Amino acid sequence: MSKIDKKDNDKVKDLGRFREDSAREYITTNQGLRINDDQNSLKAGERGPSLLEDFLLREKITHFDHERIPERIVHARGTAAHGYFQVYKSMAPLTKAKFLQDPSVKTPVFVRFSTVVGSRGSSDLARDVRGFAVKFYTEDGNYDLVGNNIPVFFIQDAVKFPDLVHAVKPEPHNEMPQAASAHDTFWDFISLMPESMHMIMWVMSDRAIPRSFRMMEGFGVHTFRFVNDKGKSRFVKFHWKPLLGIHSVVWDEAQKISGKDPDFHRRDLWEAIENGDYPEWEFGVQIVEEEDEHKFDFDLLDATKIIPEELVPVKRIGKLTLNRNPDNFFAETEQVSFNPGHVVPGIDITNDPLLQGRLFSYTDTQLIRLGGPNSHEIPINRPVAPVHNTQRDGHMRQTINAGRVSYEPNSLGGGCPMQAKENVGGFVSYAEKIDGQKARARSDKFFDHFSQAALFWNSQSDPEKNHLVQALRFELGKVEVAEIRARMVAMLAQVDGTLAGRVAKGLGLEVNQKLQTPLNMSVPADGNVKEFQPKPLKKNVGNSPALSMANTVKDTVKTRKVAILGADGFDDAAVTAMKKALTGAGAQPKLVAPRLGFLKSSKGAEVKVDFSLLTASSVMFDAVYIPGGEKSVKALQEQVEAVEFVQEAFKHCKTIAANGAGLEFIRACRLANGAADGKAKDSAVEEGIILSRDDQAGKIASEFIKAIAQHRHWSREKKLHSPA
Ligand code: HDE
């Protein structure tokens, strides 16, 4: 048992000793002086000027004036939770990392999810990559797996990161647009960066608009190393697999959520944890033996490439559970600082040039964001492993280092603190053999920019392909400079002709196959200047089912939100039965009505309304149910918001159910095709529309639940849109 475990096996990182509890306490100054009047500043007479001597006022205002710190340059918008990680069985043959040895040990974690581009106050539903940063408080020190929900990145070398971020952030002259890549500077940059094309496929797919943080994958992105206690190293790629499956919203919905509830993802995570529906992910690893380093068509050090799961399967080795919300957003979520350089014995880095740059960047950025070199002492960042070294002083130092000795070697401190040999947990970098010439270059294999982009495209289902095309049309449609649009279409043509053709059609363009890449910048190791844009390797890239969300888990409605639309006189028995069935399956039925307060059911019972039609919208729900009760249905029909609610749920391909008099309401909504023809049958008239004349909701409940578990019913899309 580890030290953490001996204390309390179920314990998450204990911040208790830092937590203020003001219950039944007097208000004080920061010096502990009790304050007698916190309503009035000190004045020369009741109507006189304030006095400079008012130290109470000055302390309070000064503190307030300095409450804000710089937001993160990227990943500014985020939310986080505490939890724990448990390995399924000892990973000793692969790694000596202590937190991956003993299945009975629960390692505390703090996980922060984020968007990349927007400011701290921007919407959760921007089309963007999501950060997925995990801090493991292990007994060997903190291990940070600072990943994303997309397994590749835009660029191959850290030196391009400032350019990428400048291009995607709001444009510098007018600070527009906020939290969006749909503007000229981003696509100008991308259209000149063929290496970004694989990533572009992912960010233009629905992966970039997740339904929930709890329903997205996570990836370490880079290739790392596992090292076991015999010193044997293997390459490893890290994955997080959500147990609820991978699901997304649609773009129209995302834009509407941004207005209706910009905190949608933050709220979703918070509420799930408050409700005891703890989010879970399995930890997966892809292992590549050292001797197989060069057996792939791509370079393992290239962060724009994945190792397809069909080539190297993902082995699930443990589980992450988030079970506690932070007490204070600023103290924990804002002040947490991650760093890919925070590793533990058994896990090591590789020469991926993107990772190498990150190893510098995180400490550097935190020096200014958190105000000095002591941010590791902030409670959320403190390791549970003891810290001893000869670093001293600096802004806001918390530790009181006793004694005279702040250097090593020393004799006055008895030689302490001393270096740790490997057998007592000392970190020893993997002794990789390096033999090369200094060069500003990349290996040849980095230059296949399109094969994996094509692999991603080929692996998508038809609805996913349609969404990707629409996303590109939207983004490029917002671009003002025509040459940029044309350049992007030419770039897409290198990935797939049909893709480029469809995007071009939406933009009113022809596909021009000729790439216009004016750059000539790479010097490979052999010294020959290589064209920046090599000929794409036209390999048969095949298909990887693991890349399509269509193949994800669809067997649960756990935590799904279902709106029950009702008004006074709703069918009591039907709602009771439906609520029972939904709750039993783990979903969350919510009564949405024309007004707040209580509704009177058909039986005269008073039932509390959860949301009014003014504060709720269908984009906040996964499915809708319209019960019978003639009075209720009539009232809803007169309410345009209720009709829109169902029409929008239909448009976004969500499951809709109605029975008894509820069918009248469905008719009034004039949904496309069968569902609107006024001849609702006793069976579903269209995928995901479950209708029954019978008053008893119990009869359709299980069908309704099965349909909700499918997440969306894309077949309906064809009827709504002109073909994408
Ligand atoms: Fe980051 N990144 N990044 N990044 N990154 C930051 O660190 C950087 C990259 C990622 O919730 C910053 O403390 C460079 C890839 C996450 O606090 C900064 C490069 C991946 C978070 C930084 C990358 C990430 C950050 C900004 C290219 C996925 C949020 C604030 C070489 C594997 C962590 C901060 C949190 C944050 C630099 C590329 C993930 C500036 C230079 C690839 C999840 O240091």
Side-chain angles (χ1 to χ4, degrees), residues 71-79 111-116 129-134 145-150 152-155 157-162 164-165 219-222 224 303 333-334 336-340 352-366 369-370:
E71 65 173 35
R72 288 165 173 82
I73 168 79
V74 281
H75 295 267
R77 168 104 188 145
T79 195
V111 180
R112 184 173 181 272
F113 302 104
S114 47
T115 52
V116 178
V129 187
R130 298 299 183 288
F132 192 134
V134 183
L145 182 49
V146 200
N148 281 343
N149 75 327
I150 288 179
V152 287
F153 202 62
F154 294 96
I155 49 169
D157 192 304
V159 73
K160 296 312 294 170
F161 191 65
L164 166 72
V165 175
F219 303 92
V221 178
H222 313 280
F224 293 90
T333 309
E334 195 59 15
V336 68
S337 59
F338 294 91
N339 187 335
D352 172 343
L354 201 66
L355 175 59
Q356 295 275 321
R358 295 181 72 203
L359 293 171
F360 163 73
S361 178
Y362 289 68
T363 317
D364 184 49
T365 199
Q366 281 144 19
R369 185 170 74 83
L370 296 167

Side-chain angles (χ1 to χ4, degrees), residues 16 52 57 94 111 202 206 218 393 459 462 499 557 567 586 592 607 670 672 709 719 723:
L52 183 62
L57 173 73
L94 297 177
V111 180
W202 285 82
D206 292 346
D393 310 344
S459 306
D462 282 345
L499 164 67
V557 296
V592 181
V607 181
R670 300 176 162 274
K719 294 166 188 155

Side-chain angles (χ1 to χ4, degrees), residues 154-161 193-196 299 301-302 304-305 353-354 439-447 449 521-528 530 532:
F154 294 96
I155 49 169
Q156 296 175 327
D157 192 304
V159 73
K160 296 312 294 170
F161 191 65
M193 290 292 283
E195 70 198 49
S196 66
D299 197 318
L301 303 182
D302 174 359
T304 65
K305 307 295 192 301
L354 201 66
R440 293 190 182 274
R442 302 173 201 183
S443 88
D444 271 0
K445 283 185 179 171
F446 275 59
F447 290 88
H449 302 316
M521 55 164 268
S522 172
V523 184
D526 63 11
N528 291 328
K530 186 175 279 244
F532 178 64

Side-chain angles (χ1 to χ4, degrees), residues 347-489:
I347 298 180
D348 211 337
I349 47 135
T350 59
N351 300 330
D352 172 343
L354 201 66
L355 175 59
Q356 295 275 321
R358 295 181 72 203
L359 293 171
F360 163 73
S361 178
Y362 289 68
T363 317
D364 184 49
T365 199
Q366 281 144 19
L367 281 174
I368 192 148
R369 185 170 74 83
L370 296 167
N374 287 318
S375 59
H376 59 281
E377 294 188 325
I378 294 171
I380 194 66
N381 294 326
R382 284 186 185 217
V384 294
V387 174
H388 306 285
N389 58 42
T390 57
Q391 295 167 34
R392 292 292 183 271
D393 310 344
H395 275 293
M396 303 297 167
R397 183 71 172 176
Q398 314 273 308
T399 308
I400 301 173
N401 297 104
R404 301 161 76 184
V405 173
S406 55
Y407 53 89
E408 195 283 339
N410 66 68
S411 67
L412 296 180
C416 294
M418 60 205 160
Q419 297 180 148
K421 292 232 160 61
E422 210 174 342
N423 62 359
V424 291
F427 181 85
V428 179
S429 291
Y430 177 67
E432 180 182 355
K433 188 161 184 298
I434 308 277
D435 181 14
Q437 284 177 327
K438 264 193 210 171
R440 293 190 182 274
R442 302 173 201 183
S443 88
D444 271 0
K445 283 185 179 171
F446 275 59
F447 290 88
D448 173 12
H449 302 316
F450 301 115
S451 296
Q452 287 208 352
L455 172 68
F456 184 84
W457 168 255
N458 291 343
S459 306
Q460 301 301 291
S461 63
D462 282 345
E464 285 172 308
K465 282 186 174 164
N466 294 341
H467 296 172
L468 210 156
V469 167
Q470 285 292 39
L472 281 160
R473 286 176 174 180
F474 177 92
E475 295 267 321
L476 297 172
K478 293 269 186 178
V479 167
E480 287 165 9
V481 175
E483 291 74 28
I484 298 176
R485 279 187 238 138
R487 240 181 3 236
M488 265 318 299
V489 169

